[in-house]
């Protein structure tokens, strides 16, 4: 008989007193020890219920397939096949486990990167919130009391914020106003002691200026330089082009230091921030960008400011080098904290909707001059953001505004020419009829005035009643008939000119050029 559990002939047979079934002793004892019952009937069992059976020695017959060599070879082949199949299955499981592990590691790495980015964004948000909280308690009452302004922005007529409404601003705090006032007092005191530097280029030298070099800085498929600035301390020229890029050019070596890419439309205005390695750019893509220099000398965008809803036409830096203003065709100008990129005030004149096309700080920093597409020049008190004066008389949009270093004169350019304004009496005292004037610029000493139109004119500055004598007329070498920018170099040793081609041109005394061989016009 066979075992009721294994189905084979038991080597040590035992029988159950209760069920009468035959078992292999080791199997039934283990089952009773584990479960305490019969494996077949399920009745409770103990080891005392098992009775050994006395039998002769059982000799198991050999299996038929093991009785011959072919049978053994077949058995070995079957075992080998089973081993190969088992090994293949294990390899498949290993491959699947490796894929799952690789996927899990990738997910872990991606999660770590996301967590790191979120932590950086959290820290930046906390920093901005902390700066906002420091300035929030001291919002000037003059801004909130003005019916036309609400923290530096025009209040909505219906009292509700529409989808295109400007964001609420913190306002220019009392601490910032104090800082601006202290800077004004210091600069005003220095101006009283100011003397014309002995190293300034003379009138005789300017009369001999000729083109020294020409540098193709921008792309040929979208030519045109729309804005320019010079960092006098390092003799670096920055240009903003219609090709959406800004270029930093080292004039002494004649080399391009860096090309700033990021704007999606033309760069309308560019400014250096003091001697710091910071550059501001404004663009027709409605944004302002703050660029900073890295260790390798290249510039990267640190902030992209999207507070305007239309083309941004101008940026101008305050004398503290801590704040700046942007002016836009959306009828507002914004006052920014430079370090954080936070817009403290967004200002519009509720009584007169105009589109701002130009802007410049007065040398002392408490007055802002803005030009408009409606031919009006507006003068603002920065502390209260109030419009304190308006100048009319131009025809066409104002293209450029520039304050003289003496603080008394303002020059404005428009389609009908250039006008000079006496800020003490708030009146126009001289007009230059140069159609399509695109740029007007006083040199750093206030001794010379440059005008860019169909050509470039340089004048000697004088008083209100004295004559402003022409010194030099420089031709527009671009062949486009439109010079867009004019800037005086350090001590007026050279004049930088940009036009509607892609070249930056340097005019100076023959033989006095420090640059390397320049590229030819293209």
């Amino acid at each position: 008989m066979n075992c009721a559990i294994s189905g084979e002939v038991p080597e040590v047979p035992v029988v159950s007193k209760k069920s009468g079934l035959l078992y292999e002793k080791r199997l039934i004892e283990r089952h009773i020890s584990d479960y305490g019952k019969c494996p077949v009937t399920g009745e409770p069992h103990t080891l005392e219920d098992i009775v050994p059976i006395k039998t002769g020695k059982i000799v198991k017959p050999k299996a038929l397939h093991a009785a011959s060599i072919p049978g053994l070879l077949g058995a070995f082949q079957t075992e080998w096949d089973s081993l190969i199949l088992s090994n293949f299955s294990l390899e498949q499981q290993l491959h699947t486990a490796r894929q799952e592990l690789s996927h899990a590691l990738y997910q872990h790495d991606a999660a770590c990167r996301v967590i790191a980015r979120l932590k950086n964004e959290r820290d930046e948000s906390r920093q901005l919130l902390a700066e906002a909280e420091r300035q929030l308690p001291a919002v000037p009452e003059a801004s909130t009391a003005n019916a036309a302004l609400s923290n530096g922005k025009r209040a909505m007529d219906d009292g509700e914020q529409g989808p295109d409404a400007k964001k609420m601003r913190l306002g220019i705090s009392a601490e910032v106003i104090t800082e601006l006032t202290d800077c004004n007092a210091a600069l005003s005191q220095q101006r009283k002691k100011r003397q014309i530097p002995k190293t300034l280029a003379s009138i005789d030298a300017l009369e001999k200026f000729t083109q020294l070099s020409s540098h193709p800085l921008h792309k040929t498929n979208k030519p045109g330089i729309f804005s320019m600035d010079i960092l006098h301390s390092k003799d670096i020229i920055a240009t903003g082009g219609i090709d959406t890029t800004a270029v930093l050019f080292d004039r002494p070596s004649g080399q391009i230091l860096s090309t700033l890419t990021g704007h999606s439309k033309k760069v309308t205005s560019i400014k250096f921030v003091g001697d710091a390695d910071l550059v501001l750019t404004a663009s027709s893509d409605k944004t302002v960008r703050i660029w900073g220099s890295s260790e390798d000398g290249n510039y990267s965008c640190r902030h992209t400011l999207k507070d305007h809803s239309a083309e941004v036409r101008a940026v101008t830096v305050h004398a503290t080098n801590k704040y700046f203003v942007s002016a836009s065709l959306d009828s507002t100008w914004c006052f920014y904290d430079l370090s954080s990129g936070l817009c403290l005030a967004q200002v519009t004149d509720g009584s007169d909707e105009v589109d701002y096309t130009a802007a410049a700080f007065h040398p002392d920093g408490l007055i802002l001059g803005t030009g408009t597409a409606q031919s009006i020049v507006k003068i603002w008190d920065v502390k209260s953001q109030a419009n304190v004066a308006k100048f009319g008389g131009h025809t066409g949009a104002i293209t450029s505004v520039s304050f003289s270093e003496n603080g008394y004169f303002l020059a404005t350019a428009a389609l009908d020419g250039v006008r000079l304004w006496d800020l003490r009496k708030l009146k126009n005292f001289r007009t230059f009829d140069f159609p399509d004037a695109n740029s007007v610029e006083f040199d750093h000493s206030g001794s010379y005035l440059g005008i860019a139109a169909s050509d470039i004119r340089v004048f000697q500055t004088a008083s209100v009643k004295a004559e402003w004598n022409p010194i030099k007329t420089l031709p527009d070498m671009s062949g486009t008939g439109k010079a867009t920018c004019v800037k005086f170099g350090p001590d007026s040793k050279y004049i930088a000119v940009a036009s509607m081609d892609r070249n930056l041109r340097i005019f100076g005394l023959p033989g006095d050029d420090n640059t390397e061989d320049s590229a030819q016009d293209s």
Side-chain angles (χ1 to χ4, degrees):
M1 295 182 65
N2 295 331
C3 173
I5 296 177
S6 64
E8 296 180 355
V9 177
E11 294 179 358
V12 182
V14 294
V15 65
S16 171
K17 293 180 182 179
K18 295 184 177 181
S19 64
L21 296 173
L22 184 69
Y23 299 101
E24 176 70 54
K25 181 179 179 180
R26 58 184 176 80
L27 297 179
I28 189 62
E29 286 181 349
R30 183 183 299 173
H31 189 276
I32 292 175
S33 298
D34 292 340
Y35 303 103
K37 60 182 180 180
C38 176
V40 178
T41 64
E43 295 178 344
H45 270 61
T46 63
L47 294 178
E48 286 76 12
D49 296 328
I50 303 300
V51 179
I53 299 176
K54 293 182 179 180
T55 62
K57 185 176 180 181
I58 299 174
V59 179
K60 294 182 179 180
K62 292 184 179 180
L64 185 62
H65 64 269
S68 64
I69 291 177
L72 290 174
L73 292 176
F76 291 154
Q77 183 66 49
T78 301
E79 291 295 327
W80 174 255
D81 292 343
S82 299
L83 180 62
I84 293 299
L85 291 174
S86 176
N87 185 64
F88 177 74
S89 177
L90 289 175
E91 287 182 351
Q92 283 187 320
Q93 293 177 7
L94 176 61
H95 180 68
T96 302
R98 283 178 174 173
Q99 286 184 323
E100 292 176 352
L101 178 60
S102 176
H103 184 66
L105 290 175
Y106 176 79
Q107 287 184 321
H108 177 267
D109 184 58
C112 289
R113 290 197 301 268
V114 170
I115 291 172
R117 178 175 59 81
L118 292 175
K119 284 184 176 180
N120 290 335
E121 292 178 355
R122 179 201 64 187
D123 294 340
E124 291 176 359
S125 300
R126 284 178 175 175
Q127 181 181 358
L128 291 176
L129 181 60
E131 293 173 355
E133 288 176 346
R134 285 197 299 267
Q135 297 181 2
L136 185 58
V139 177
E141 296 181 0
S143 296
T144 57
N146 192 332
L149 296 175
S150 176
N151 283 334
K153 56 163 283 182
R154 186 167 59 89
M156 298 293 289
D157 294 337
D158 55 2
E160 297 180 357
Q161 296 292 327
D164 297 328
K166 305 292 187 299
K167 300 176 182 178
M168 292 298 293
R169 306 300 180 191
L170 298 173
I172 302 177
S173 68
E175 289 82 359
V176 174
I177 292 177
T178 300
E179 190 173 5
L180 301 183
T181 304
D182 292 344
C183 178
N184 171 266
L187 293 176
S188 297
Q189 189 67 26
Q190 293 176 9
R191 184 165 289 105
K192 295 178 181 179
K193 303 177 183 179
R194 182 181 65 89
Q195 295 182 351
I196 303 299
K198 296 181 180 180
T199 55
L200 182 71
S202 65
I203 295 177
D204 292 339
L206 264 68
E207 290 177 343
K208 299 176 183 177
F209 274 16
T210 185
Q211 179 173 313
L212 301 178
S213 59
S214 176
H215 309 275
L217 303 183
H218 292 267
K219 298 177 181 178
T220 55
N221 59 339
K222 292 184 178 180
I225 299 175
F226 210 78
S227 56
M228 180 170 58
D229 195 22
I230 299 178
L231 181 59
H232 285 190
S233 62
K234 299 179 180 180
D235 205 358
I236 298 175
I237 303 175
T239 60
I242 294 178
D243 62 359
T244 74
T245 66
V247 176
L248 303 185
F249 174 76
D250 181 60
R251 192 197 69 86
S253 67
Q255 299 297 317
I256 294 177
L257 300 179
S258 184
T259 299
L260 314 183
T261 58
H263 286 293
S264 60
K265 295 184 179 180
K266 67 181 178 183
V267 178
T268 56
S269 182
I270 188 167
K271 290 291 181 183
F272 286 105
V273 181
D275 290 333
D277 292 327
L278 293 175
V279 177
L280 303 178
T281 57
S283 172
S284 295
D285 63 10
K286 307 177 186 178
T287 67
V288 175
R289 289 178 178 254
I290 303 176
W291 307 81
S293 175
S294 55
E295 295 180 356
D296 59 2
N298 291 321
Y299 281 71
S300 60
C301 181
R302 296 185 178 179
H303 297 285
T304 300
L305 312 177
K306 301 179 181 180
D307 298 283
H308 289 291
S309 59
E311 177 179 337
V312 186
R313 294 296 295 270
V315 286
T316 177
V317 182
H318 189 268
T320 58
N321 292 321
K322 295 181 179 180
Y323 309 98
F324 72 93
V325 161
S326 63
S328 170
L329 296 181
D330 65 1
S331 302
T332 69
W333 57 267
C334 291
F335 185 92
Y336 287 96
D337 175 73
L338 186 60
S339 61
S340 65
L342 188 66
C343 178
L344 303 182
Q346 188 166 13
V347 184
T348 186
D349 189 349
S351 62
D352 187 12
E353 287 289 337
V354 292
D355 302 325
Y356 296 106
T357 54
F361 271 112
H362 186 274
D364 291 343
L366 290 184
I367 294 176
L368 176 71
T370 57
T372 69
Q374 289 72 27
S375 310
I376 302 296
V377 178
K378 291 192 173 187
I379 306 298
W380 301 82
D381 178 2
V382 177
K383 293 189 296 183
S384 63
Q385 302 100 63
N387 181 209
V388 295
K390 295 181 182 180
F391 299 145
H394 273 295
T395 300
I398 307 298
T399 55
S400 177
V401 295
S402 177
F403 288 95
S404 173
E405 178 62 22
N406 63 19
Y408 299 147
F409 303 139
L410 170 67
T412 58
L415 298 181
D416 62 341
V418 172
R419 290 175 179 262
L420 301 178
W421 309 86
D422 185 353
L423 297 176
R424 294 164 294 185
K425 298 182 179 180
L426 300 179
K427 69 176 185 179
N428 170 229
F429 68 90
R430 185 160 276 97
T431 299
F432 299 106
D433 294 325
F434 299 131
D436 297 327
N438 297 303
S439 177
V440 61
E441 182 78 14
F442 284 100
D443 79 309
H444 192 65
S445 69
S447 302
Y448 304 119
L449 176 71
I451 301 172
S454 58
D455 53 20
I456 300 91
R457 308 288 180 98
V458 181
F459 291 84
Q460 180 186 11
T461 62
S463 63
V464 172
K465 297 182 179 180
E467 190 67 26
W468 291 49
N469 297 317
I471 299 175
K472 182 70 174 179
T473 299
L474 303 172
D476 174 31
M477 307 294 289
S478 69
T480 64
K482 187 176 182 180
T484 54
C485 307
V486 58
K487 293 284 183 180
F488 290 91
D491 291 330
S492 300
K493 295 294 186 182
Y494 67 86
I495 296 176
V497 175
S499 302
M500 285 307 292
D501 65 350
R502 67 192 187 111
N503 293 284
L504 169 69
R505 292 176 172 82
I506 305 298
F507 292 83
L509 280 175
D512 193 32
D513 184 23
N514 295 325
T515 63
E516 299 174 355
D517 293 339
S518 63
Q520 298 298 318
D521 291 356
S522 58

